[in-house]
Amino acid sequence: SYFVPFYLDAGGSSSMAKFTSQQMLGIGYAFKDADILLAYNNLYYSFRSDQATSYLNLSGPMIGATFRF
């Protein structure tokens, strides 16, 4: 009844994009009527155009639930 959800993404959508990244890894448990998961998510973003610097790193734990009815 345990499962391992994961997600991986890399790169931007254009040739000018310098980088984008997403990762998620967790563990979940499937009940009869619902799934519950605990995961860690990380989003990395870094687009630079000369001196205008952009950097963003959103990371942290997450809890999710899926209900079947």
Side-chain angles (χ1 to χ4, degrees):
S1 295
Y2 285 97
F3 61 93
V4 178
F6 63 93
Y7 179 76
L8 178 65
D9 188 7
S13 62
S14 69
S15 63
M16 302 283 290
K18 295 302 176 193
F19 210 79
T20 303
S21 177
Q22 295 181 350
Q23 309 92 36
M24 188 272 296
L25 180 64
I27 187 163
Y29 188 80
F31 295 98
K32 181 182 176 185
D33 295 328
D35 296 344
I36 297 177
L37 79 96
L38 177 63
Y40 189 81
N41 189 33
N42 183 29
L43 172 65
Y44 168 76
Y45 167 91
S46 177
F47 292 159
R48 296 181 181 193
S49 177
D50 293 81
Q51 296 297 335
T53 302
S54 297
Y55 173 77
L56 175 67
N57 184 4
L58 299 175
S59 60
M62 64 183 194
I63 298 174
T66 303
F67 298 99
R68 291 184 285 279
F69 53 92

